């Protein structure tokens, strides 16, 4: 009888435990998910930076969800980093990377590249970026392209980065944005404002802040398509609402387009409307 009762208790407790675990991950995602993490489900918005008021919540719930979710383990690293617990952040990212998180590989690569929390090691940074890029992570691709030759290795190949981003851009907003930047600047191949604008538009439709800001600039200048000041302002406003500082500055320039300077060229005031 006692064994039968225990079986019933465990049977009832299992769904509750699973539900509690999923609730932890939901809360972790809400305050600490990275918008550019390829592991992130499409319905999770993510945050560019974890708010100071959310750090303790992020650490608590991401830690509880981390044992069964590499995405949560990666987010836990972000939360530790936001709390300036660098050693703990590195440890969490290592665990997430070991489980296959390409986003964690990128963060570890950045740490090695900057010597933040670990000894600076460009060869290790390159290795991590390569592994993330091979997994299709857009930041891994772009960081690999930006990284110079390490230990006598061949210099970064922007053309290869474009090719890798082209594959990832089929489904990923961050890749669309990064590839759009390369096309708009002529990095790794021919400059193509029309194709860049199309990529920015795709990423902007997914509320990518940088792509929204770029669409604002392209619409304002008439690059790669029609010039439309009203559309530019709307794009800037959407990007600014998501925290993009360049978009905020662009809106201020639209509001105050005329600058009055003295004989030395120093700004005296602006005329605003």
């Amino acid at each position: 009888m006692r064994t039968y009762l225990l079986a019933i208790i465990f049977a009832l407790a299992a769904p509750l435990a699973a539900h509690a675990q999923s609730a932890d991950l939901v809360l972790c995602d809400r305050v600490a998910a990275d918008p550019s993490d390829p592991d992130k489900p499409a319905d999770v918005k993510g945050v560019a930076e974890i708010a100071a008021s959310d750090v303790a919540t992020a650490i608590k719930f991401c830690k509880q969800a981390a044992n069964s979710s590499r995405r949560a383990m990666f987010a836990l690293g972000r939360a530790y980093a936001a709390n300036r617990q660098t050693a703990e952040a590195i440890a969490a990212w290592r665990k997430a990377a070991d489980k296959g998180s390409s986003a964690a590989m990128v963060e570890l690569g950045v740490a090695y590249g900057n010597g933040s929390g670990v000894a600076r090691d460009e060869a290790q940074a390159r290795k991590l970026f390569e592994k993330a890029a091979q997994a299709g992570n857009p930041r891994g691709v772009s960081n690999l392209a930006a990284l110079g030759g390490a230990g006598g290795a061949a210099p970064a190949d922007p053309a290869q980065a474009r090719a890798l981003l082209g594959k990832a851009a089929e489904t990923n907003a961050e890749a669309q944005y990064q590839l759009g930047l390369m096309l708009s600047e002529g990095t790794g191949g021919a400059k193509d404002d029309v194709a860049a604008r199309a990529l920015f538009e795709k990423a902007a439709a997914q509320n990518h802040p940088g792509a929204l800001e770029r669409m604002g600039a392209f619409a304002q200048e008439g690059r790669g398509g029609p010039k439309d000041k009203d559309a530019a302002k709307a794009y800037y406003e959407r990007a600014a609402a998501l925290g993009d500082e360049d978009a905020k500055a662009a809106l201020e320039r639209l509001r105050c387009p005329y600058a009055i300077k003295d004989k030395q060229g120093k700004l005296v005031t602006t005329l605003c409307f």
Side-chain angles (χ1 to χ4, degrees):
M1 183 67 177
R2 183 172 179 272
T3 303
Y4 178 71
L5 288 173
L6 285 174
I8 293 175
I9 290 170
F10 284 128
L12 291 171
L16 291 174
H19 179 75
Q21 185 180 57
S22 64
D24 291 335
L25 184 55
V26 167
L27 288 166
C28 173
D29 279 338
R30 186 176 299 168
V31 296
D34 186 338
S36 67
D37 183 1
D39 282 344
K40 180 183 69 61
D43 60 344
V44 174
K45 183 178 179 181
V47 291
E49 293 184 5
I50 299 175
S53 59
D54 288 335
V55 167
T57 300
I59 290 174
K60 176 182 177 180
F61 290 105
C62 292
K63 184 184 291 186
Q64 290 173 185
N67 287 333
S68 58
S69 169
R70 72 185 187 189
R71 183 170 86 250
M73 183 65 77
F74 166 63
L76 177 61
R78 294 189 80 212
Y80 280 137
N83 206 37
R84 298 183 180 180
Q85 294 176 256
T86 305
E88 289 83 352
I90 295 292
W93 287 332
R94 283 193 197 284
K95 290 178 182 178
D98 288 344
K99 293 180 179 180
S101 169
S102 63
M105 295 171 199
V106 171
E107 293 300 337
L108 282 175
V110 171
Y112 276 108
N114 295 333
S116 176
V118 292
R120 187 173 181 180
D121 186 338
E122 287 194 6
Q124 183 64 16
R126 186 183 185 87
K127 187 183 296 184
L128 285 160
F129 291 149
E130 284 177 344
K131 192 172 181 180
Q134 289 166 0
N137 187 295
R139 286 185 64 213
V141 175
S142 57
N143 284 3
L144 181 61
L147 191 64
D157 186 346
Q160 182 186 29
R162 256 169 100 148
L164 288 169
L165 280 171
K167 295 177 182 178
E170 295 174 6
T171 57
N172 186 278
E174 179 67 17
Q176 291 158 7
Y177 169 66
Q178 294 289 347
L179 182 56
L181 290 178
M182 296 191 81
L183 289 168
S184 69
E185 296 164 3
T187 304
K191 184 176 180 178
D192 189 337
D193 279 352
V194 174
R197 183 166 178 157
L199 285 163
F200 290 143
E201 190 168 18
K202 284 183 181 179
Q206 299 167 71
N207 284 325
H208 187 290
L212 285 164
E213 185 277 330
R214 285 293 80 203
M215 274 304 299
F218 271 51
Q220 184 179 1
E221 299 164 15
R223 286 183 65 181
K227 190 173 184 177
D228 188 333
K229 289 186 177 180
D230 290 336
K233 184 180 178 183
Y235 279 120
Y236 285 143
E237 287 173 341
R238 286 173 61 193
L242 293 170
D244 190 279
E245 295 300 325
D246 290 336
K248 292 176 184 178
L251 281 173
E252 185 62 18
R253 288 193 297 272
L254 286 178
R255 192 178 73 85
C256 305
Y258 300 106
I260 298 175
K261 300 179 180 179
D262 61 19
K263 292 180 179 179
Q264 286 73 41
K266 294 180 180 178
L267 181 66
V268 175
T269 187
T270 55
L271 296 178
C272 303
F273 300 97

